[in-house]
Structures are given as C-alpha cells and as structure tokens.
Amino acid sequence: MPILFRKALRIGPLRLNFTPKGFSSWGLKIGRFSWNSRTRAYRYDLPGPFSWRSKGKRG
C-alpha cells in the first residue's frame, strides 16, 4: 500500500487541495452541499452515513 501526500487548507467554506507537485484543486462546502473544481462533481450529505453525489463533468 503506497503512502500518499495530501494537504488541504481551509479558509471558511473554501478548501484548497495540494499534492507534492503543488496546487491540485479547490472545493466549496456550505452546510450539507459541497462542490469540487477538478471533477466538477457535487455532493449532498444525507442523514446518517449516506450522501448523494453527481457524476461530474470532466473534460
């Protein structure tokens, strides 16, 4: 199992993601809703351990 490096910097609802090569992506989380810039997918947290996720549009 390889060891991976990931770092996330949170500034309010904004989240900046970094890898060893530098800046990777940014995301936004407001309440139960979140969105990721790289995959352009969004997720909505449901009660309990469940969540709903869109497929995203990568191009």
Side-chain angles (χ1 to χ4, degrees):
M1 180 156 97
I3 297 174
L4 302 173
F5 170 82
R6 285 189 358 190
K7 177 68 177 167
L9 176 64
R10 293 184 185 180
I11 305 170
L14 184 65
R15 182 176 177 152
L16 304 173
N17 301 305
F18 297 92
T19 63
K21 294 182 180 181
F23 179 73
S24 171
S25 66
W26 62 275
L28 186 65
K29 182 165 173 98
I30 300 173
R32 293 179 172 226
F33 177 80
S34 62
W35 183 79
N36 182 283
S37 68
R38 184 164 42 135
T39 61
R40 295 185 186 163
Y42 51 90
R43 179 180 296 232
Y44 187 78
D45 294 332
L46 299 173
F50 304 104
S51 66
W52 181 83
R53 182 181 72 174
S54 73
K55 291 186 179 180
K57 298 174 184 141
R58 230 181 132 165

